[in-house]
Amino acid sequence: MRSRITKLFGIEYPIIAGGMVWCSGWKLAAAVSNAGGLGLIGAGSMTPEVLREHITQCREATEEDEEQRPFGVNVPLMKPNVAEIMEVIAEEHVPVVFTSAGSPKKWTAWLHERGIKVAHVVSSSAFARKCEEAGVDAVVAEGFEAGGHNGKEETTTMCLIPAARKATKLPLIAAGGIASGEAILAAQVLGAEGVQIGTLFALTQESGAHEAFKRRCLDLNEGDTKLLLRKLSPTRLVKGGFYDAIEEAENRGASSEELLDIIGVGKTKIGIFDGDIDNGELEIGQVASLLKGKDIEPVETVMQRLVVEYEQALASLQ
C-alpha cells in the first residue's frame, strides 16, 4: 500500500480519516494516526479555542517513546473565522492541513511558509487542475457518494478519479463511497494513491458523533440517503424529519431564503452530536447502507480489517 501519499505524510497506510463536523475530534484523529493512517481533526464545528484544545490532546495521544505520529486538521475555507483557525494551526505547529469548500490559492503559500503540508478537496477535474496551479501538495477528489456537502457537478467517484488523474500529476487521494479494502484497491486502479474515508470512521467508537446517530446510520438501506439543498450547497442527508422538511420545501419550489429558514442554526449539531435523529440534520455517505447491521467498532479493528481486505483483494486479482 506504499505510495506517494504515505511518503508525503509519513504514514504507514495511505488511509486518511475525513475531518467531519461533530465526528472528527482528537479521539478519532489520534486513533486513526496511531493505527497507521492520517487522522484529521474537523475544524468546521470548532471555535479557535476548542480547536487548540483538540490539537493539544491529539498531540499527546499520538506521541509514544518520543516519536510523534502525524495528524492534521481539516479547514472549510468558507468559515468566517478561518484566519483565526489558521493562526491556531500555525502556532501549534500542526504538520498537515486539508482545506475544502473554497479556493486553495489564498492559504496554500501561507501554510507552506510555515512548514505545513497542504491537501485540498475538489469535486471536479477542473478544480484538481487549479489545485496544481495553487501549489498544493496533494489533491482529494471526492465523488458525490460522500456524506455532507458535495460538489454541484454530482460526479461519482468512479468517474472523478480517472478524470482528476488526467488533470494533475499531483499525489491523488480518492474520497466518496470508500469503506472497504476492495474499494481502496479499486481507487488505486483508477489512479488514486490514497483514500480519504469518512462514513466508516464516523461510525466508530472514537467518533464524536452521538450513539443514536451512529445506530441510525448503521440501520440504513440502499436509497436512505439523498442529495438535497442544490440551491444552496448540495448536501447528502439521511431520510428523517429534517430531510422530509427540506424535500417538501424543494418540491414546492422554495426559495433559497425559505430553505435557510428551515435549516436554521445548529441543526447538524442537534442531529449528529446531540443525537436528535428526528429533528436534527443527519449527514452520512451513501456507502452507509453497505454497513447495515454492523457493530460500532474501535478504529483499530476497522483499520486492521481494511488492510486485510485490501491484501486479499489484491491477491485474488493476481
Side-chain angles (χ1 to χ4, degrees):
M1 298 177 80
R2 296 288 179 179
S3 68
R4 287 194 293 173
I5 294 301
T6 57
K7 183 178 180 180
L8 175 65
F9 298 130
I11 54 181
E12 186 176 357
Y13 306 116
I15 299 172
I16 294 98
M20 302 163 284
V21 294
W22 305 115
C23 296
S24 300
W26 71 266
K27 289 183 180 179
L28 178 56
V32 173
S33 290
N34 286 334
L38 181 69
L40 298 181
I41 298 170
S45 53
M46 297 180 182
T47 63
E49 295 75 19
V50 170
L51 175 60
R52 193 185 298 274
E53 293 174 10
H54 278 263
I55 291 171
T56 300
Q57 295 270 39
C58 192
R59 182 182 295 112
E60 293 175 356
T62 51
E63 185 176 6
E64 186 176 358
D65 298 328
E66 298 185 359
E67 180 181 348
Q68 182 70 59
R69 289 187 177 269
F71 65 92
V73 175
N74 179 77
V75 182
L77 297 178
M78 70 172 98
K79 281 180 67 68
N81 61 346
V82 65
E84 297 174 72
I85 291 292
M86 291 299 192
E87 287 292 347
V88 169
I89 288 169
E91 290 168 7
E92 294 296 331
H93 305 289
V94 175
V96 180
V97 166
F98 277 48
T99 53
S100 59
S103 170
K105 285 186 177 181
K106 184 173 181 180
W107 289 102
T108 296
W110 188 91
L111 291 166
H112 279 167
E113 288 170 3
R114 288 153 180 81
I116 300 171
K117 294 171 183 174
V118 182
H120 189 71
V121 182
V122 302
S123 58
S124 72
S125 58
F127 287 132
R129 194 174 298 110
K130 290 182 180 297
C131 281
E132 186 164 327
E133 295 170 0
V136 304
D137 299 292
V139 174
V140 182
E142 184 177 82
F144 97 129
E145 298 97 323
H149 295 278
N150 275 270
K152 294 181 181 297
E153 299 83 4
E154 300 188 18
T155 306
T156 65
T157 303
M158 290 284 283
C159 293
L160 178 57
I161 299 307
R165 180 71 289 162
K166 289 180 180 179
T168 178
K169 295 179 181 178
L170 290 172
L172 182 62
I173 300 166
I178 299 170
S180 68
E182 293 90 342
I184 295 173
L185 180 58
Q188 285 187 329
V189 171
L190 292 173
E193 297 157 86
V195 296
Q196 178 174 285
I197 294 175
T199 293
L200 188 62
F201 288 128
L203 305 180
T204 59
Q205 291 178 7
E206 292 87 348
S207 164
H210 196 282
E211 183 170 345
F213 169 78
K214 297 176 186 178
R215 296 288 180 194
R216 171 66 180 129
C217 292
L218 288 170
D219 193 40
L220 296 176
N221 294 309
E222 185 178 346
D224 279 348
T225 68
K226 188 175 179 181
L227 210 65
L228 297 178
L229 294 169
R230 286 174 172 85
K231 283 185 177 179
L232 301 175
S233 175
T235 308
R236 182 166 298 281
L237 302 173
V238 177
K239 290 183 177 179
F242 178 82
Y243 169 101
D244 291 341
I246 294 295
E247 185 176 50
E248 186 278 328
E250 290 190 333
N251 286 342
R252 60 177 168 79
S255 65
S256 298
E257 290 72 22
E258 290 179 271
L259 292 172
L260 286 171
D261 285 340
I262 296 172
I263 293 172
V265 178
K267 285 292 177 68
T268 53
K269 179 181 182 295
I270 292 170
I272 299 173
F273 191 75
D274 296 337
D276 186 343
I277 60 174
D278 294 318
N279 301 302
E281 181 175 345
L282 309 181
E283 301 178 0
I284 204 69
Q286 202 173 45
V287 77
S289 63
L290 296 180
L291 307 175
K292 183 178 173 66
K294 290 187 178 295
D295 295 327
I296 302 174
E297 299 176 315
V299 163
E300 185 177 4
T301 300
V302 170
M303 285 288 286
Q304 290 175 350
R305 184 169 59 246
L306 286 172
V307 174
V308 170
E309 289 173 347
Y310 173 88
E311 292 175 344
Q312 290 176 341
L314 182 59
S316 68
L317 291 179
Q318 293 172 336

